[in-house]
Amino acid sequence: MVSRRPARGLAGVARVPGDKSISHRALMLGALALGESRITGLLEGEDVLRTAAAMRALGAAVTREGDGDWRVAGRGVGGIVEPEDVLDMGNSGTAARLLAGILASHPIFSVLTGDASLRRRPMRRVMTPLAASGATFSARAGGRMPLAIAGTGAALPITYRLPVASAQVKSAILLAGLNARGITRVEEPVATRDHSENMLRHFGASVSVSDDGEGRVIELAGLPELRCADIAVPGDPSSAAFPLVAALLVPDSAITLPGIGLNPLRTGLFATLAEMGAGIVIENRRISGGEPVGDLAVRHAALRGVDVPAARAPSMIDEYPILAVAAACARGTTRLRGLAELRVKESDRLAATAALLAGNGVRVAIEDDDLIIHGAGAPTPGGGMVATGMDHRIAMSALVLGLASVAPVAIDDARFIETSFPGFAHLMNGLGAAMAPA
Ligand code: S3P
């Protein structure tokens, strides 16, 4: 696919798909609750469809009623059944790691696998804490999938201090703790997205959050009776980031993005763009399904380089590739600090982001775990062919860069965009972008 500079500014309303993190969790908790949960606005991207299929394989009745409108008839905590076959989670690390938590605390045998990207990603970060609850794991060298799990029907509640800031690891432990008698405790030195905590409460679990002076402490009381609940999934701020940055970069643009999730543990990008000179207006703030939501309005702005502290990384961990594109079009140097975790995303995203920019005439460097971008203003030279490495966010970031480049920007593979943002090019072209098959 190729993306080029549009003749006019972007305009219109961008309705981005539902939040990926919340969609996975809604299907999983719906399957562990008693009764029928209704989910609206579910992201129907491939990652989430893998979770839907897995919950079916574990015995839940998962049905699609209409666009984004799903029902899950759950089996209750402790009630899932052994899957007859391997569970293939495709490209989704969130699906694989959260599911490992559920599988570990039920007396069943299961095998998780995924595509070539997911099979390269580390699973030991969930195996280590979950083994302490009594489950047994076998994986390939380096803790890579396929991963066999012999779950336990008598899971112990564990206390675990997260060695890496990861909402997936935290969530896997909490999900395992549902079927363990007693208090499961997770300590996180740096706060990560708290959708699991919010949604567990929404389904009736008792979850407390406190601060012990060294970070956030989450405690879950085991063996709750989860009751079915309705979930309205907000628009994904990580998906909104792409049209939003596109509108900032293309002159004369003005777009709105209704119903975007504004959980404060997800909004690091919006804060950073504001520091760079973007005027993002948030209107109609409300709470929907236990999560803050609002409508965003954004117009073209001249951006300047910034220094982004490592402590902000968990609140914008998926947004670095598109932020790097914004920084390439800004004036001045941007330093993005503390990006070690990007090396274990769908691709080595630190290297892939640097290559994306370098291949399109932007001066960029990696120093230890920092990415340094020397912005010279928009348009950037462009003209590159970006290797997306099975990574949806690298693909979309490259296509947005093309909108602000003198020569078109091409990507080698647009298929993985379907994992999180079905209809991305169609939505962007509806705003006036020029993205087309090569
Ligand atoms: C997610 C957590 C993050 C994020 C991923 C979704 C989640 O991963 O990158 O896209 O839904 O919990 P880590 O837990 O590896 O940081």
Side-chain angles (χ1 to χ4, degrees):
M1 186 167 274
V2 177
S3 170
R4 54 189 84 239
R5 257 201 301 176
R8 277 178 292 280
L10 305 181
V13 181
R15 287 183 200 285
V16 304
D19 189 274
K20 183 152 70 70
S21 294
I22 294 175
S23 294
H24 285 299
R25 288 160 172 80
L27 290 168
M28 291 183 189
L29 288 185
L32 293 174
L34 288 173
E36 189 177 80
S37 295
R38 178 175 180 193
I39 311 168
T40 52
L42 187 85
L43 166 62
E44 294 177 329
E46 277 173 20
D47 279 12
V48 173
L49 298 179
R50 297 282 180 168
T51 291
M55 299 331 286
R56 270 192 205 111
L58 300 180
V62 182
T63 51
R64 182 179 189 272
E65 304 287 321
D67 277 358
D69 186 359
W70 290 62
R71 303 280 184 283
V72 184
R75 303 192 58 98
V77 169
I80 61 167
V81 300
E82 186 167 270
E84 284 181 20
D85 202 348
V86 170
L87 300 169
D88 184 349
M89 306 324 293
N91 194 249
S92 179
T94 307
R97 298 209 180 100
L98 269 57
L99 204 52
I102 295 175
L103 297 168
S105 64
H106 285 79
I108 58 178
F109 173 78
S110 57
V111 180
L112 286 172
T113 192
D115 68 13
S117 155
L118 185 52
R119 280 184 275 113
R120 280 193 289 269
R121 298 178 65 185
M123 292 299 284
R124 198 161 276 153
R125 52 179 61 197
V126 291
M127 290 157 60
T128 301
L130 294 174
S133 72
T136 319
F137 296 87
S138 318
R140 287 193 304 137
R144 265 52 176 188
M145 295 199 287
L147 169 66
I149 307 175
T152 171
L156 300 168
I158 65 160
T159 291
Y160 193 70
R161 188 170 182 81
L162 294 183
V164 284
S166 168
Q168 292 176 0
V169 176
K170 169 176 67 175
S171 301
I173 296 167
L174 293 175
L175 288 168
L178 283 174
N179 204 27
R181 187 177 301 281
I183 303 291
T184 292
R185 180 180 159 108
V186 184
E187 303 165 359
E188 46 179 13
V190 192
T192 65
R193 65 189 70 191
D194 59 358
H195 305 303
S196 296
E197 296 91 308
N198 295 343
M199 205 184 291
L200 280 163
R201 284 201 194 97
H202 190 63
F203 277 86
S206 158
V207 179
S208 72
V209 178
S210 57
D211 193 320
D212 69 354
E214 288 171 36
R216 221 165 145 265
V217 178
I218 303 110
E219 291 186 317
L220 166 78
L223 304 183
E225 183 164 300
L226 297 185
R227 292 178 303 274
C228 55
D230 288 350
I231 307 274
V233 182
D236 196 326
S238 300
S239 295
F242 299 102
L244 186 139
V245 168
L248 283 171
L249 301 187
V250 177
D252 299 322
S253 295
I255 69 165
T256 57
L257 301 116
I260 304 301
L262 294 173
N263 182 310
L265 295 169
R266 294 286 298 281
T267 51
L269 175 74
F270 303 152
T272 304
L273 291 171
E275 289 174 11
M276 295 174 79
I280 302 170
V281 179
I282 304 177
E283 287 167 341
N284 196 13
R285 281 184 186 268
R286 54 204 185 267
I287 299 287
S288 171
E291 292 278 346
V293 173
D295 304 333
L296 307 186
V298 60
R299 46 180 63 245
H300 169 71
L303 302 178
R304 52 184 176 271
V306 281
D307 194 311
V308 181
R312 201 180 290 169
S315 70
M316 52 181 298
I317 193 66
D318 293 333
E319 279 64 83
Y320 283 101
I322 190 63
L323 174 59
V325 166
C329 298
R331 289 211 170 270
T333 299
T334 289
R335 187 170 196 117
L336 308 176
R337 296 178 187 271
L339 306 189
E341 272 296 296
L342 293 198
R343 298 186 204 271
V344 291
K345 292 296 177 187
E346 286 84 331
S347 65
D348 175 347
R349 228 174 233 173
L350 185 50
T353 302
L356 186 177
L357 296 182
N360 285 287
V362 178
R363 271 180 60 221
V364 60
I366 296 173
E367 281 177 16
D368 298 323
D369 295 333
D370 298 352
L371 184 63
I372 298 105
I373 300 146
H374 300 283
T380 52
M385 162 62 84
V386 175
T388 52
M390 305 180 81
D391 188 330
H392 54 132
R393 299 198 200 282
I394 295 298
M396 290 185 278
S397 299
L399 293 173
V400 170
L401 182 66
L403 302 177
S405 295
V406 174
V409 172
I411 59 173
D412 63 351
D413 189 351
R415 285 173 303 172
F416 286 86
I417 294 174
E418 290 294 310
T419 60
S420 71
F421 202 146
F424 171 71
H426 182 74
L427 179 144
M428 293 301 300
N429 290 341
L431 300 172
M435 298 180 183

